[in-house]
Amino acid sequence: MVSHRENNTQRIAALDEQAEALRLRPGMGIAEARAMHPSIDVVEADPEADRRLLESLADWCDRYTPLVALDGENGLFLDITGCAHLFGGEKALLADLMARFFHQGFDVRAGLAATPGAAWAAARFAAGHIIAPGSERNFLSRLPLSALRIDARTKASLESVGLRTVGAIMDGPRAPLVRRFGGALIERLDQGLGRLEEAISPRLPVAPLSVERHLADPLSLIEDVERLVGLLAATLKVDLERREEGARALELLLFRVDGVVSRITVGASRPIREPSLVRKLFHERLTALGETIDAGCGFDLVRLSALSTACFDARQGDLAGEIEDTGEELAIFADRVTARLGEAAILEPVPAASHLPERAAAVASYAQEEDRKTLAKAGKAKSGSASRPARLERPIRLFRSPEPIEVPLTEVPDGPPQNFRWRRAMHRVARAEGPERIAPEWWREETDAPTRDYYRVEDADGRRYWLYRQGLYGAQATAPRWFLHGVFA
């Protein structure tokens, strides 16, 4: 038995067939159950583990349809519209699903119907049955009220007035039922009968393009998986060419015989569709994963999906067969390194919306920066050749945090320092340019930050620095402070 705490009382949450034979039932207190049968074994419920198990089963059900949704704590919805013929029909699909679950050690109840409500009721009150379209009324009419998926309070209220079956609800007047028991009751009834549409929200987005291969002999070697990826990519290329698109994100699903599913994703900084490139990316990713991918008894289903696509810019070479270098080789190299080492392996500085030097730049992955460049080109083409104002010279190296310096002598109020001490060394200023005044970002600061006056200075040895004065002489009670923010060479 599995127990859980409810209102400071340990109660039975689930039990097996032997416990049911002892006339125990869910919701019974553990103390009462032990009084009846002192030798029973009780295990504390682990909702997180149950959730992970249910999600792993949902992953495995992707072999039948990509539209898989979670239903509460112990159920799944599968929308098999357009998929049943791939398994020999609805009856064959249902039989295959239940047989595979049985061999994995699960006791499942499954039902199939044209509406989610009727399918839910069939799975729990007529396991293994297929409800023909149009016969939902006859099927539901003889079932108890629990088949409508209503809450326990509404169910108890209906039973207190003698309404114990779904058929009694169907035959009753709708207006009094709504006034007394709420609109949710009629809504659930109409959903089960197909009068009201009920949407099933899949737990994962559906890939626009997918190709798969069912294997009579399961694969156990990663090298065989890579070769199969190349074959699947060749099939996927045909569909991408027809749509004049390339793949930006690809996912490889490996369905193991015992029900374990491995999801492996790779990204591309530019749209790709060549099978050799796809295979190289997955080779790097599979090599990085190494022994974390356990083939077990082998993979009997391999699926390659294009999670996201983009317009593929096909370029044609000149008469000599040469194509202008557009950075494609660099993009391929970056994609392979990213697949092997992760998104943070190759970063590129990008401008940020801030005029403060330490906030004016950020780092982003190479793939994200390629997206920004594409959007920037498109925006420039739409807006014309509008020129941006020239930015002032910035140092080659900008410190992560400005370092304080000592300035014993300076020209008041806005003159540069004549010398300064940094890291215990005194530097005599030979030349200086400035000031460049940068106001604080008052909309982001918690308190009023002082103004900065930046100077580009060169010492007697020819070294150039970028330093600033924080605050103004005479504008505050304390003397302004000086900081070194970067070096030019």
Side-chain angles (χ1 to χ4, degrees), residues 248 268-271 326-328 330-332 334-335 346 348-350 364-378:
R248 287 297 309 274
S269 56
R270 298 185 179 185
T326 57
E328 184 174 352
L330 177 60
I332 295 173
D335 292 341
I346 298 183
E348 188 170 355
V350 295
S365 66
Y366 182 83
Q368 294 176 358
E369 178 58 14
E370 284 293 311
D371 291 341
R372 292 189 180 93
K373 290 178 180 178
T374 302
L375 294 175
K377 290 179 181 179

Side-chain angles (χ1 to χ4, degrees), residues 135-210:
S135 61
E136 292 85 6
R137 182 182 180 87
N138 294 333
F139 169 71
L140 292 173
S141 61
R142 61 179 184 272
L143 297 181
L145 296 175
S146 301
L148 289 181
R149 298 176 291 171
I150 56 178
D151 59 86
R153 183 177 179 180
T154 303
K155 176 176 176 292
S157 299
L158 289 167
E159 291 177 345
S160 65
V161 295
L163 301 176
R164 301 182 180 277
T165 64
V166 178
I169 304 298
M170 293 180 183
D171 298 334
R174 299 171 70 93
L177 290 174
V178 172
R179 284 196 302 269
R180 182 166 182 177
F181 304 104
L185 173 64
I186 301 302
E187 180 182 357
R188 285 301 193 186
L189 178 61
D190 289 342
Q191 288 176 346
L193 296 176
R195 297 172 181 170
L196 185 64
E197 189 71 20
E198 181 179 0
I200 295 178
S201 300
R203 54 186 295 267
L204 296 175
V206 180
L209 291 174
S210 294

Side-chain angles (χ1 to χ4, degrees), residues 13-96:
L15 38 77
D16 58 10
E17 294 180 354
Q18 295 181 354
E20 289 179 347
L22 298 176
R23 296 184 179 180
L24 301 178
R25 65 185 184 279
M28 179 184 290
I30 295 297
E32 181 183 356
R34 287 192 182 279
M36 297 171 57
H37 305 282
S39 61
I40 59 175
D41 293 330
V42 181
V43 179
E44 183 70 22
D46 189 349
E48 291 297 327
D50 293 341
R51 186 71 174 184
R52 291 194 298 269
L53 175 61
L54 187 62
E55 290 180 350
S56 66
L57 296 179
D59 282 338
W60 180 82
C61 287
D62 276 356
R63 68 187 299 125
Y64 297 104
T65 172
L67 300 175
V68 181
L70 301 180
D71 176 38
E73 299 178 352
N74 59 0
L76 295 173
F77 272 122
L78 278 67
D79 187 350
I80 62 171
T81 304
C83 303
H85 70 281
L86 301 175
F87 301 88
E90 295 177 348
K91 185 176 181 180
L93 186 152
L94 188 61
D96 181 77

Side-chain angles (χ1 to χ4, degrees), residues 215-458:
L215 305 170
D217 296 326
L219 298 180
S220 300
L221 299 178
I222 298 300
E223 293 79 5
D224 296 335
V225 173
E226 292 182 10
R227 283 193 290 269
L228 184 55
V229 167
L231 298 177
L232 294 175
T235 305
L236 188 64
K237 178 184 177 182
V238 178
D239 296 330
L240 290 172
E241 287 179 342
R242 187 182 67 253
R243 296 162 59 114
E244 297 183 355
E245 293 178 340
R248 287 297 309 274
L250 294 159
E251 182 181 48
L252 179 66
L253 276 76
L254 304 175
F255 294 83
R256 219 164 68 181
V257 174
D258 58 355
V260 178
V261 181
S262 298
R263 293 180 179 270
I264 305 168
T265 58
V266 296
S269 56
R270 298 185 179 185
I272 61 172
R273 60 190 183 196
E274 285 298 324
S276 59
L277 298 181
V278 174
R279 182 173 177 178
K280 287 179 180 178
L281 292 181
F282 278 107
H283 169 75
E284 300 293 346
R285 189 61 183 153
L286 291 170
T287 303
L289 294 175
E291 297 181 355
T292 58
I293 300 180
D294 184 11
C297 298
F299 306 109
D300 63 342
L301 174 61
V302 179
R303 178 184 300 161
L304 179 64
S305 303
L307 297 181
S308 65
T309 60
C311 180
F312 188 85
D313 183 16
R315 295 181 299 276
Q316 183 175 354
D318 56 17
L319 295 178
E322 298 180 355
I323 299 179
E324 180 184 357
D325 183 18
T326 57
E328 184 174 352
E329 293 296 331
L330 177 60
I332 295 173
F333 168 77
D335 292 341
R336 295 186 64 180
V337 172
T338 300
R340 175 72 71 93
L341 303 178
E343 291 289 338
I346 298 183
L347 302 176
E348 188 170 355
V350 295
S354 177
H355 61 265
L356 292 181
E358 63 269 23
R359 297 176 181 172
V363 292
S365 66
Y366 182 83
Q368 294 176 358
E369 178 58 14
E370 284 293 311
D371 291 341
R372 292 189 180 93
K373 290 178 180 178
T374 302
L375 294 175
K377 290 179 181 179
K380 185 176 181 180
K382 292 181 180 180
S383 60
S385 57
S387 60
R388 297 179 60 184
R391 296 189 61 180
L392 297 175
E393 185 180 4
R394 290 292 183 261
I396 297 176
R397 179 188 175 192
L398 190 71
F399 298 155
R400 185 181 298 272
S401 298
E403 299 185 7
I405 59 176
E406 298 178 10
V407 178
L409 186 61
T410 183
E411 298 179 8
V412 178
D414 297 328
Q418 296 183 5
N419 50 60
F420 63 93
R421 185 184 300 277
W422 175 51
R423 295 180 180 178
R424 300 182 181 179
M426 181 64 72
H427 300 267
R428 185 174 63 85
V429 176
R431 298 177 183 84
E433 295 178 355
E436 175 192 351
R437 180 158 295 179
I438 297 180
E441 295 179 341
W442 54 267
W443 58 93
R444 299 176 62 175
E445 303 291 344
E446 295 182 0
T447 59
D448 294 336
T451 301
R452 298 181 185 181
D453 282 347
Y454 279 85
Y455 297 87
R456 295 181 295 277
V457 301
E458 180 180 332

Side-chain angles (χ1 to χ4, degrees), residues 115-129:
T115 65
W120 189 94
R124 287 158 176 79
F125 298 95
H129 280 62

